[in-house]
Amino acid sequence: MSVAAVLFLSSGSSVPAQENTAPVTVDRSATGGAQTLDDILRRQRGENIPADLGNGVTGTGAPSDGPLGSQGVLSDSELWRRARQGQAFTTSSQDPNAGILVQDEGTQWLATRQTTLPKYSTYAILAMVILLTLFMLIRGRIRIMSGWSSIKIERFTFIERFGHWLLATSFVILAITGLSLLFGREYVVPGLDWIHAKMNPDAIDPNYGRDAYAWFALAGKWLHDNIAWAFMIGLVLIFVMWVFRNIPTWTDVKWLAKGGGMFSNASHPHARKFNAGQKILFWLVILLGGSLSASGISLLQPGEYAMFAATFEKLNMAGEAIGYPLGLETSLSPIEEMQYSQVWHTIIGVAMIVIVIAHIYIGSVGMQGAFSAMGSGKVDLNWAREHHDLWVAKLEKKGKVPRPAGASNPNTRTTMPLRAPKKPTVPAE
Ligand code: HEM
């Protein structure tokens, strides 16, 4: 339908732009109020003829009476204009999409899908990569300042790591397949053509990129639609396991005020099992991941959910309550719901990709000693003291921190820290 809309609109692109002149009063009694040939000619001259002129008017006299009557005086352009406005036809089908021959809003959606979304998604991802590269160059790897101890303590159990990796691997597959669907024509097709030309300089097939991408896109779509369920299960698992540890506390405010110690080796603000930065990541993953899942499910089952009309209604009410009426459209056709879902799904997906790139950096090469938390499940005691001192203090109180061989004091380290961190007291929540 949107393709028809594009063809329809582009076929009229030779018409000069309308000037902002006042509408002229015209006698349209001969057409029963429908537009006249004179209206069409004046519109073509660029005069201001309202687009909704004669809406609901079906012509005059007997020829247009009754559902099977002729369209009487309607011209082709009038007919197509009404088709665009969803007024030209009737159908006995129960499918709410069946009566839509041309969907005008599809033109704007198509432009957003083909131009705006790929453009700003590229900017956002590149901006994060540049920011992280600068951070890496200026700050360098965040090291364990007191050096490695020989003591390992358990940070995440098997089921916690299972939940994390289920979420992480499914997300990475969804991100790769999702981006390849978004950028296929811009990057993947030319990329495949380039590889093909390098490997077969003597027999270049001009359709190679498009043909190969067709298979790639088909497989990618299948993976994307099915791996999504693993992502949702992972999301529920980490929510259930970690929600209580991610409730914000006063300690988090102080952690944030000190920039989390991210910009200086000398600063290690107090933190419990999850610091404020991790809590922010957790809630972003839960909220954005939840919204991504909801919009994804509505795309998987076209026409089943009307989430945007309901959301816009609530936003309108909230806007009015605080004196800022938003005037969002609340009567959306099923196809418009799908278009909003698609745009929203892409925006949220790309936002998550940008956030997760930063997380992957800090959870792997960016911070010494961090990866093993999700690898073996154990971390070095000195790493834990530097980044999650209040958590370690609690474990020590419960006697869960192994003592080094021969040590009488449970807090004795096996390696001398360069700068011994102070033993923290656990503040009341
Ligand atoms: C694929 C590469 C990834 C690596 C190497 C990685 C690494 C890690 C590590 C080491 C931790 C534990 C940090 C600690 O001990 O304090 C962690 C935690 C976490 N990860 Fe990942 N992760 C990856 C992907 C993801 C993805 C794709 C998501 C979500 C979509 C995610 C969500 C989380 C969350 C919510 C936590 C708990 C909060 C936090 O520690 O920041 N991770 N990850």
Side-chain angles (χ1 to χ4, degrees), residues 226-265:
N226 290 287
I227 299 281
W229 302 104
F231 173 78
M232 288 183 245
I233 295 171
L235 202 63
V236 172
L237 277 177
I238 68 149
F239 177 76
V240 172
M241 290 186 300
W242 293 340
V243 62
F244 291 115
R245 290 186 178 275
N246 279 285
I247 295 169
T249 66
W250 186 239
T251 311
D252 299 322
V253 178
K254 291 191 260 182
W255 189 92
L256 285 173
K258 291 183 181 167
M262 291 299 246
F263 303 99
S264 149
N265 277 332

Short mmCIF file of all heavy atoms in Angstrom, two decimals, residues 226-265:
data_model
loop_
_atom_site.label_atom_id
_atom_site.label_comp_id
_atom_site.label_asym_id
_atom_site.label_seq_id
_atom_site.Cartn_x
_atom_site.Cartn_y
_atom_site.Cartn_z
N ASN A 226 13.11 -15.42 16.02
CA ASN A 226 13.09 -16.55 16.95
C ASN A 226 14.00 -16.38 18.16
O ASN A 226 13.65 -16.80 19.26
CB ASN A 226 13.42 -17.84 16.20
CG ASN A 226 12.28 -18.22 15.26
OD1 ASN A 226 11.23 -18.65 15.70
ND2 ASN A 226 12.46 -17.98 13.98
N ILE A 227 15.18 -15.75 17.95
CA ILE A 227 16.10 -15.55 19.08
C ILE A 227 15.50 -14.55 20.07
O ILE A 227 15.88 -14.49 21.23
CB ILE A 227 17.47 -15.04 18.55
CG1 ILE A 227 18.11 -16.06 17.62
CG2 ILE A 227 18.42 -14.67 19.67
CD1 ILE A 227 18.77 -17.23 18.27
N ALA A 228 14.54 -13.75 19.59
CA ALA A 228 13.92 -12.74 20.46
C ALA A 228 13.35 -13.37 21.73
O ALA A 228 13.39 -12.77 22.81
CB ALA A 228 12.81 -12.03 19.70
N TRP A 229 12.87 -14.61 21.62
CA TRP A 229 12.28 -15.26 22.80
C TRP A 229 13.34 -15.55 23.85
O TRP A 229 13.08 -15.43 25.06
CB TRP A 229 11.53 -16.54 22.40
CG TRP A 229 10.46 -16.24 21.40
CD1 TRP A 229 10.49 -16.48 20.06
CD2 TRP A 229 9.22 -15.55 21.65
NE1 TRP A 229 9.35 -16.01 19.47
CE2 TRP A 229 8.55 -15.43 20.42
CE3 TRP A 229 8.62 -15.03 22.79
CZ2 TRP A 229 7.31 -14.82 20.29
CZ3 TRP A 229 7.38 -14.43 22.67
CH2 TRP A 229 6.74 -14.32 21.43
N ALA A 230 14.54 -15.94 23.40
CA ALA A 230 15.64 -16.20 24.35
C ALA A 230 16.00 -14.90 25.07
O ALA A 230 16.25 -14.88 26.29
CB ALA A 230 16.86 -16.74 23.60
N PHE A 231 15.99 -13.79 24.33
CA PHE A 231 16.30 -12.49 24.93
C PHE A 231 15.28 -12.17 26.03
O PHE A 231 15.63 -11.74 27.13
CB PHE A 231 16.28 -11.41 23.84
CG PHE A 231 16.40 -10.01 24.37
CD1 PHE A 231 17.64 -9.52 24.77
CD2 PHE A 231 15.29 -9.19 24.49
CE1 PHE A 231 17.76 -8.23 25.26
CE2 PHE A 231 15.40 -7.90 24.97
CZ PHE A 231 16.64 -7.41 25.35
N MET A 232 14.01 -12.43 25.73
CA MET A 232 12.96 -12.11 26.71
C MET A 232 13.08 -12.98 27.96
O MET A 232 12.89 -12.51 29.07
CB MET A 232 11.58 -12.24 26.07
CG MET A 232 11.31 -11.12 25.08
SD MET A 232 9.67 -11.25 24.40
CE MET A 232 10.00 -11.58 22.71
N ILE A 233 13.44 -14.26 27.75
CA ILE A 233 13.61 -15.14 28.92
C ILE A 233 14.79 -14.64 29.76
O ILE A 233 14.72 -14.54 30.99
CB ILE A 233 13.83 -16.62 28.48
CG1 ILE A 233 12.57 -17.13 27.77
CG2 ILE A 233 14.18 -17.50 29.65
CD1 ILE A 233 12.74 -18.48 27.10
N GLY A 234 15.90 -14.27 29.08
CA GLY A 234 17.08 -13.75 29.78
C GLY A 234 16.72 -12.49 30.57
O GLY A 234 17.16 -12.31 31.72
N LEU A 235 15.90 -11.66 29.96
CA LEU A 235 15.50 -10.40 30.60
C LEU A 235 14.72 -10.67 31.89
O LEU A 235 14.99 -10.06 32.94
CB LEU A 235 14.62 -9.62 29.61
CG LEU A 235 14.51 -8.12 29.80
CD1 LEU A 235 15.86 -7.45 29.61
CD2 LEU A 235 13.52 -7.53 28.78
N VAL A 236 13.79 -11.63 31.80
CA VAL A 236 13.00 -11.97 32.99
C VAL A 236 13.91 -12.56 34.07
O VAL A 236 13.82 -12.21 35.25
CB VAL A 236 11.86 -12.97 32.61
CG1 VAL A 236 11.16 -13.47 33.86
CG2 VAL A 236 10.87 -12.30 31.67
N LEU A 237 14.85 -13.45 33.64
CA LEU A 237 15.75 -14.08 34.61
C LEU A 237 16.57 -13.05 35.38
O LEU A 237 16.61 -13.07 36.61
CB LEU A 237 16.70 -15.05 33.90
CG LEU A 237 16.18 -16.45 33.60
CD1 LEU A 237 17.22 -17.25 32.83
CD2 LEU A 237 15.83 -17.16 34.90
N ILE A 238 17.22 -12.12 34.63
CA ILE A 238 18.08 -11.17 35.36
C ILE A 238 17.23 -10.21 36.20
O ILE A 238 17.65 -9.78 37.27
CB ILE A 238 19.07 -10.39 34.45
CG1 ILE A 238 18.34 -9.43 33.53
CG2 ILE A 238 20.04 -11.29 33.73
CD1 ILE A 238 19.19 -8.21 33.22
N PHE A 239 16.03 -9.92 35.73
CA PHE A 239 15.16 -9.03 36.53
C PHE A 239 14.86 -9.69 37.87
O PHE A 239 15.05 -9.09 38.93
CB PHE A 239 13.87 -8.73 35.77
CG PHE A 239 12.92 -7.88 36.56
CD1 PHE A 239 13.16 -6.51 36.71
CD2 PHE A 239 11.81 -8.42 37.20
CE1 PHE A 239 12.32 -5.72 37.47
CE2 PHE A 239 10.96 -7.63 37.95
CZ PHE A 239 11.21 -6.28 38.08
N VAL A 240 14.42 -10.95 37.82
CA VAL A 240 14.04 -11.65 39.06
C VAL A 240 15.26 -11.78 39.98
O VAL A 240 15.17 -11.55 41.18
CB VAL A 240 13.44 -13.04 38.71
CG1 VAL A 240 13.22 -13.86 39.96
CG2 VAL A 240 12.14 -12.86 37.94
N MET A 241 16.42 -12.11 39.41
CA MET A 241 17.59 -12.39 40.25
C MET A 241 18.22 -11.13 40.85
O MET A 241 18.76 -11.15 41.93
CB MET A 241 18.66 -13.12 39.42
CG MET A 241 18.25 -14.53 39.06
SD MET A 241 19.58 -15.44 38.23
CE MET A 241 19.87 -14.49 36.78
N TRP A 242 18.14 -9.99 40.10
CA TRP A 242 18.94 -8.83 40.53
C TRP A 242 18.13 -7.60 40.93
O TRP A 242 18.71 -6.59 41.30
CB TRP A 242 19.90 -8.43 39.39
CG TRP A 242 20.96 -9.45 39.13
CD1 TRP A 242 21.38 -10.43 39.97
CD2 TRP A 242 21.76 -9.59 37.95
NE1 TRP A 242 22.37 -11.18 39.39
CE2 TRP A 242 22.63 -10.67 38.13
CE3 TRP A 242 21.83 -8.90 36.74
CZ2 TRP A 242 23.55 -11.09 37.19
CZ3 TRP A 242 22.75 -9.31 35.79
CH2 TRP A 242 23.60 -10.39 36.00
N VAL A 243 16.79 -7.69 40.82
CA VAL A 243 16.02 -6.46 41.04
C VAL A 243 16.26 -5.86 42.43
O VAL A 243 16.45 -4.64 42.56
CB VAL A 243 14.51 -6.66 40.75
CG1 VAL A 243 13.87 -7.68 41.68
CG2 VAL A 243 13.76 -5.34 40.85
N PHE A 244 16.31 -6.70 43.48
CA PHE A 244 16.44 -6.12 44.82
C PHE A 244 17.80 -5.49 45.05
O PHE A 244 17.92 -4.52 45.78
CB PHE A 244 16.14 -7.20 45.88
CG PHE A 244 14.68 -7.58 45.86
CD1 PHE A 244 14.29 -8.86 45.50
CD2 PHE A 244 13.69 -6.64 46.12
CE1 PHE A 244 12.94 -9.20 45.43
CE2 PHE A 244 12.34 -6.97 46.06
CZ PHE A 244 11.97 -8.25 45.71
N ARG A 245 18.81 -6.05 44.40
CA ARG A 245 20.16 -5.47 44.56
C ARG A 245 20.32 -4.18 43.76
O ARG A 245 21.34 -3.51 43.86
CB ARG A 245 21.22 -6.48 44.09
CG ARG A 245 21.35 -7.67 45.01
CD ARG A 245 22.49 -8.52 44.54
NE ARG A 245 22.71 -9.67 45.41
CZ ARG A 245 23.42 -9.65 46.52
NH1 ARG A 245 23.97 -8.52 46.91
NH2 ARG A 245 23.59 -10.73 47.23
N ASN A 246 19.35 -3.88 42.91
CA ASN A 246 19.48 -2.68 42.07
C ASN A 246 18.56 -1.55 42.49
O ASN A 246 18.38 -0.59 41.75
CB ASN A 246 19.22 -3.05 40.61
CG ASN A 246 20.46 -3.67 39.98
OD1 ASN A 246 21.42 -2.96 39.67
ND2 ASN A 246 20.47 -4.98 39.84
N ILE A 247 18.02 -1.67 43.71
CA ILE A 247 17.20 -0.55 44.21
C ILE A 247 18.17 0.56 44.62
O ILE A 247 19.15 0.31 45.34
CB ILE A 247 16.34 -1.02 45.40
CG1 ILE A 247 15.33 -2.06 44.89
CG2 ILE A 247 15.63 0.15 46.08
CD1 ILE A 247 14.58 -2.80 45.95
N PRO A 248 17.95 1.78 44.13
CA PRO A 248 18.90 2.87 44.42
C PRO A 248 18.98 3.19 45.92
O PRO A 248 17.99 3.10 46.64
CB PRO A 248 18.33 4.06 43.65
CG PRO A 248 17.37 3.49 42.68
CD PRO A 248 16.86 2.21 43.26
N THR A 249 20.17 3.53 46.39
CA THR A 249 20.38 3.92 47.79
C THR A 249 21.17 5.23 47.82
O THR A 249 21.67 5.69 46.79
CB THR A 249 21.18 2.85 48.57
OG1 THR A 249 22.49 2.81 48.01
CG2 THR A 249 20.53 1.47 48.49
N TRP A 250 21.34 5.76 49.00
CA TRP A 250 22.09 7.01 49.17
C TRP A 250 23.56 6.82 48.75
O TRP A 250 24.20 7.73 48.23
CB TRP A 250 21.97 7.45 50.63
CG TRP A 250 22.58 8.78 50.90
CD1 TRP A 250 23.58 9.06 51.79
CD2 TRP A 250 22.24 10.04 50.28
NE1 TRP A 250 23.88 10.41 51.76
CE2 TRP A 250 23.07 11.03 50.84
CE3 TRP A 250 21.32 10.42 49.30
CZ2 TRP A 250 23.03 12.37 50.44
CZ3 TRP A 250 21.27 11.75 48.91
CH2 TRP A 250 22.12 12.70 49.48
N THR A 251 24.08 5.60 48.96
CA THR A 251 25.47 5.29 48.56
C THR A 251 25.66 5.55 47.06
O THR A 251 26.72 6.00 46.62
CB THR A 251 25.78 3.79 48.85
OG1 THR A 251 25.37 3.51 50.17
CG2 THR A 251 27.23 3.46 48.67
N ASP A 252 24.59 5.26 46.28
CA ASP A 252 24.69 5.45 44.82
C ASP A 252 24.82 6.93 44.46
O ASP A 252 25.53 7.29 43.52
CB ASP A 252 23.45 4.87 44.13
CG ASP A 252 23.32 3.39 44.37
OD1 ASP A 252 24.36 2.71 44.39
OD2 ASP A 252 22.19 2.92 44.58
N VAL A 253 24.12 7.79 45.21
CA VAL A 253 24.19 9.23 44.93
C VAL A 253 25.64 9.69 45.15
O VAL A 253 26.22 10.42 44.32
CB VAL A 253 23.22 10.01 45.86
CG1 VAL A 253 23.33 11.50 45.64
CG2 VAL A 253 21.80 9.51 45.65
N LYS A 254 26.25 9.21 46.24
CA LYS A 254 27.64 9.61 46.54
C LYS A 254 28.61 9.04 45.49
O LYS A 254 29.57 9.68 45.09
CB LYS A 254 28.02 9.16 47.95
CG LYS A 254 27.24 9.95 49.01
CD LYS A 254 27.78 9.71 50.38
CE LYS A 254 26.91 8.71 51.08
NZ LYS A 254 27.28 8.41 52.45
N TRP A 255 28.31 7.83 45.03
CA TRP A 255 29.14 7.18 43.99
C TRP A 255 29.10 8.02 42.71
O TRP A 255 30.13 8.30 42.10
CB TRP A 255 28.61 5.77 43.73
CG TRP A 255 29.48 4.91 42.85
CD1 TRP A 255 30.44 4.05 43.24
CD2 TRP A 255 29.43 4.84 41.41
NE1 TRP A 255 31.00 3.43 42.16
CE2 TRP A 255 30.41 3.90 41.01
CE3 TRP A 255 28.69 5.47 40.42
CZ2 TRP A 255 30.65 3.57 39.67
CZ3 TRP A 255 28.92 5.15 39.09
CH2 TRP A 255 29.89 4.22 38.73
N LEU A 256 27.89 8.46 42.36
CA LEU A 256 27.73 9.26 41.14
C LEU A 256 28.41 10.62 41.29
O LEU A 256 29.04 11.12 40.36
CB LEU A 256 26.25 9.45 40.82
CG LEU A 256 25.53 8.24 40.23
CD1 LEU A 256 24.04 8.50 40.11
CD2 LEU A 256 26.10 7.87 38.86
N ALA A 257 28.30 11.20 42.51
CA ALA A 257 28.89 12.52 42.75
C ALA A 257 30.41 12.46 42.54
O ALA A 257 31.04 13.44 42.15
CB ALA A 257 28.55 13.00 44.14
N LYS A 258 31.00 11.29 42.81
CA LYS A 258 32.45 11.14 42.61
C LYS A 258 32.79 10.58 41.23
O LYS A 258 33.91 10.11 41.00
CB LYS A 258 33.01 10.22 43.69
CG LYS A 258 32.99 10.88 45.06
CD LYS A 258 33.61 9.98 46.10
CE LYS A 258 33.55 10.66 47.45
NZ LYS A 258 33.84 9.75 48.56
N GLY A 259 31.81 10.58 40.35
CA GLY A 259 32.04 10.07 38.98
C GLY A 259 32.39 8.60 38.98
O GLY A 259 32.98 8.09 38.01
N GLY A 260 32.04 7.90 40.06
CA GLY A 260 32.30 6.46 40.14
C GLY A 260 33.78 6.12 40.17
O GLY A 260 34.16 4.97 40.00
N GLY A 261 34.63 7.13 40.36
CA GLY A 261 36.07 6.87 40.37
C GLY A 261 36.60 6.50 38.99
O GLY A 261 37.73 6.03 38.85
N MET A 262 35.78 6.75 37.98
CA MET A 262 36.15 6.32 36.62
C MET A 262 37.28 7.17 36.05
O MET A 262 37.99 6.74 35.16
CB MET A 262 34.94 6.45 35.68
CG MET A 262 33.85 5.48 35.96
SD MET A 262 34.43 3.82 35.76
CE MET A 262 33.49 3.30 34.40
N PHE A 263 37.41 8.40 36.56
CA PHE A 263 38.36 9.30 35.91
C PHE A 263 39.68 9.45 36.68
O PHE A 263 40.51 10.27 36.35
CB PHE A 263 37.69 10.66 35.69
CG PHE A 263 36.44 10.52 34.87
CD1 PHE A 263 35.20 10.49 35.48
CD2 PHE A 263 36.51 10.36 33.50
CE1 PHE A 263 34.04 10.30 34.74
CE2 PHE A 263 35.36 10.17 32.74
CZ PHE A 263 34.13 10.15 33.36
N SER A 264 39.84 8.67 37.75
CA SER A 264 41.08 8.78 38.52
C SER A 264 41.41 7.44 39.15
O SER A 264 40.51 6.75 39.67
CB SER A 264 40.90 9.87 39.58
OG SER A 264 41.66 9.56 40.71
N ASN A 265 42.68 7.08 39.17
CA ASN A 265 43.10 5.83 39.79
C ASN A 265 42.99 5.90 41.30
O ASN A 265 42.90 4.89 41.98
CB ASN A 265 44.57 5.56 39.42
CG ASN A 265 44.65 4.90 38.06
OD1 ASN A 265 43.73 4.21 37.63
ND2 ASN A 265 45.76 5.14 37.36
#
